[in-house]
Amino acid sequence: MKKNTIRIGVGTGFAGDRIEPAEILLEKANLDYLVLECLAERTIALAQKRKKANSSLGYDVLLEKRMQSLLPKLKNKATRIITNMGAANPQAGAEKILEIANQLGISIKVAVVTGDDVLSKISLDETVWETGKSLSDYGEILSANAYIGANALLSALQSDAQIIITGRVADPSLFLAPMIHEFKWPLNELDYLAQGTVVGHLLECAGQLTGGYFADPGKKDVTDLANLGFPYADVSNDGTAIFSKVENTGGQITLQTMKEQLLYEVLNPTAYTTPDIIADFSKVVFEEINPGTIKVSGVTAVGKPEKLKVSIGYNAGFIGEGEISYAGENALARAELAGEIISERIRHLYTDFRVDLIGVNATHRKAFRQIEPYEVRLRVAGKTQSSSLAALIGEEVEALYTNGPAGGGGARKNIVDVVGIVSTFIEENQIEISTEKKEVHLNEII
């Protein structure tokens, strides 16, 4: 039956997010849908690397932990979970969910949506969006995942699956899909899609909307951040929505937090582009209904994208790191000297090399205040195609214990296998969406 209102909550805003807010939403918010949004460009490329190493992996690394917690709470509820925790391997992710459900003695139906992996369809002659170079100018290509839209999930939503798991569906599209499904919106009713997209955009980062990223002590105070609650929206069949959070959880939903999240990752507010729609956010209306309750309306469409964005992961070599601390009188001068020593010895060996004084100039690459710090941590990093050269940085920093300025301590060294990310585009008709339903009934996996 067509509904007039649905309640959608968000249980994760990124792969490493907390688990407790999703538990609270499932237990107390009376949700129709709980969305677990866990993917970023680099996240899925790294998942592809894990899948290549082991074909049974490639799904989100916290999938098991989240499902062990959420499945018992999902039991006997009408709430459906939509998630992109399938990452590079939604099929394996679904099998893992069924395995966990079987262990817990819970019957569950899972729909798997695939089709975003377009590695076999991308030519090395493709132009890279960010640089204008050819894709062949980059290192070994590890992954190519298209951002697919809400329509990819509709077949799964029409099934009786309680969990829908997929890969690189665009973040707002995870939220838009249940609106299209429940309200029977035609896909050519673009203003509905635009209004639904802003709802998804506002929800997608979870705790950012309730004050997590907003908080700035003494300037933008937010209460009880240690128990930050995640938001939900009551969406009407015209796409307007009322945002709130579970009572007695930390954080806040205000006009300020809503406006900040609206502009998150938005290059052009008059043309916010997803696989589903190009939306005009410039005339959005925020209305405070009650403290902690905000209504959103006023978003319209300006068109649909001609092509879909594809996130390309490539082998970008190694980053070697070394860190060491200096404290007490003259700490800054000793740290600066240590950096000069390392630079003189090895800087010329690296295509990209930097020396940071953490606490002084590391974040903005410049010291804005001339305040003598009591302690400084030196960080040296360099990028190279050679793992041995990457290791050399940490070795040289560690050698400062006895070969550099006085009083160095707490040395640390690390090598990172770097996955680079660039983008290109693909025609939507090249995407082949597949939906498969799996289920477990007590001790039988079907």
Side-chain angles (χ1 to χ4, degrees):
M1 290 181 60
K2 182 178 177 180
K3 293 184 178 180
N4 292 320
T5 305
I6 58 172
R7 178 170 287 185
I8 306 174
V10 57
T12 59
F14 74 107
D17 219 337
R18 294 172 182 165
I19 296 177
E20 305 97 284
E23 296 173 334
I24 292 170
L25 282 167
L26 258 185
E27 290 174 336
K28 299 182 178 181
N30 193 28
L31 299 176
D32 294 297
Y33 293 91
L34 176 65
V35 176
L36 306 177
E37 196 292 292
C38 294
L39 278 187
E41 286 83 355
R42 189 162 279 104
T43 315
I44 197 164
L46 292 171
Q48 291 282 11
K49 289 188 70 172
R50 294 195 300 273
K51 181 182 176 182
K52 285 184 178 181
N54 184 337
S55 61
S56 67
L57 299 179
Y59 51 82
D60 187 274
V61 294
L62 288 179
L63 180 143
E64 295 177 50
K65 190 172 183 180
R66 292 192 195 280
M67 288 300 156
Q68 286 166 351
S69 168
L70 296 178
L71 284 178
K73 296 173 178 59
L74 192 65
K75 187 178 180 180
N76 300 323
K77 287 187 178 292
T79 305
R80 302 176 79 180
I81 290 177
I82 301 173
T83 182
N84 54 16
M85 284 195 294
N89 201 346
Q91 290 283 359
E95 294 294 341
K96 181 56 66 173
I97 293 171
L98 295 176
E99 179 185 318
I100 294 168
N102 190 52
Q103 292 169 353
L104 296 173
I106 297 172
S107 298
I108 198 77
K109 297 177 181 179
V110 181
V112 189
V113 179
T114 57
D116 62 297
D117 190 334
V118 293
L119 183 60
S120 63
K121 301 177 181 181
I122 293 295
S123 166
L124 292 179
D125 295 328
E126 299 285 352
T127 300
V128 171
W129 177 53
E130 293 87 350
T131 65
K133 295 181 179 180
S134 170
L135 194 55
S136 60
D137 293 333
Y138 292 81
E140 175 196 4
I141 303 303
L142 302 172
S143 63
N145 291 84
Y147 284 74
I148 56 179
N151 61 328
L153 301 177
L154 296 182
S155 177
L157 285 165
Q158 289 162 9
S159 75
D160 58 352
Q162 198 168 6
I163 297 176
I164 298 166
I165 185 169
T166 187
R168 183 62 283 183
V169 171
D171 299 355
S173 305
L174 296 166
F175 301 85
L176 177 61
M179 300 179 216
I180 296 171
H181 169 68
E182 296 286 2
F183 302 141
K184 313 302 180 190
W185 286 345
L187 293 179
N188 60 359
E189 290 286 353
L190 302 188
D191 284 345
Y192 283 158
L193 304 188
Q195 184 61 47
T197 293
V198 78
V199 174
H201 173 70
L202 288 165
L203 286 172
E204 69 184 45
C205 292
Q208 284 191 188
L209 189 67
T210 51
Y213 201 72
F214 172 87
D216 192 355
K219 296 181 179 180
K220 299 186 296 181
D221 290 316
V222 177
T223 60
D224 198 17
L225 281 170
N227 299 294
L228 187 67
F230 286 0
Y232 61 81
D234 291 310
V235 188
S236 297
N237 58 12
D238 62 355
T240 60
I242 297 175
F243 289 74
S244 189
K245 65 182 184 67
V246 174
E247 191 174 355
N248 298 320
T249 57
Q252 62 193 38
I253 291 182
T254 66
L255 293 173
Q256 285 181 296
T257 65
M258 297 286 285
K259 290 174 183 178
E260 282 203 9
Q261 177 59 26
L262 178 73
L263 296 177
Y264 175 73
E265 291 186 336
V266 173
L267 296 177
N268 182 355
T270 66
Y272 179 75
T273 304
T274 76
D276 308 295
I277 198 72
I278 303 172
D280 183 357
F281 285 0
S282 65
K283 296 179 178 63
V284 66
V285 177
F286 292 117
E287 179 185 356
E288 186 174 49
I289 306 300
N290 293 300
T293 305
I294 307 292
K295 182 178 180 180
V296 179
S297 61
V299 175
T300 56
V302 294
K304 287 179 72 79
E306 295 180 1
K307 294 183 178 183
L308 301 183
K309 180 181 174 182
V310 180
S311 180
I312 308 286
Y314 66 95
N315 187 344
F318 303 89
I319 289 178
E321 298 177 282
E323 294 182 7
I324 191 168
S325 294
Y326 296 89
E329 185 179 359
N330 214 28
L332 178 57
R334 284 182 282 132
E336 289 174 334
L337 176 56
E340 292 167 5
I341 292 169
I342 299 295
S343 294
E344 183 177 342
R345 288 179 58 81
I346 63 172
R347 177 186 287 271
H348 62 283
L349 299 174
Y350 302 89
T351 56
D352 190 7
F353 187 87
R354 61 184 285 177
V355 175
D356 294 321
L357 301 176
I358 298 174
V360 177
N361 65 7
T363 302
H364 293 125
R365 305 297 298 274
K366 181 178 179 180
F368 289 92
R369 294 184 181 181
Q370 299 303 314
I371 299 174
E372 187 72 19
Y374 178 80
E375 61 182 46
V376 181
R377 186 158 180 85
L378 172 72
R379 176 184 180 267
V380 182
K383 189 174 180 181
T384 174
Q385 292 297 317
S386 165
S387 61
S388 60
L389 274 180
L392 179 63
I393 293 176
E395 293 164 5
E396 285 286 332
V397 170
E398 188 175 44
L400 292 171
Y401 270 137
T402 56
N403 293 279
R412 182 191 72 88
K413 53 189 177 181
N414 187 41
I415 300 174
V416 179
D417 188 355
V418 182
V419 174
I421 301 294
V422 292
S423 306
T424 188
F425 295 89
I426 192 171
E427 297 285 349
E428 187 172 4
N429 60 16
Q430 290 188 258
I431 306 297
E432 299 176 9
I433 302 299
S434 174
T435 302
E436 180 182 353
K437 192 179 80 171
K438 302 171 180 285
E439 61 184 285
V440 60
H441 182 68
L442 295 181
N443 292 315
E444 296 180 8
I445 297 179
I446 301 174

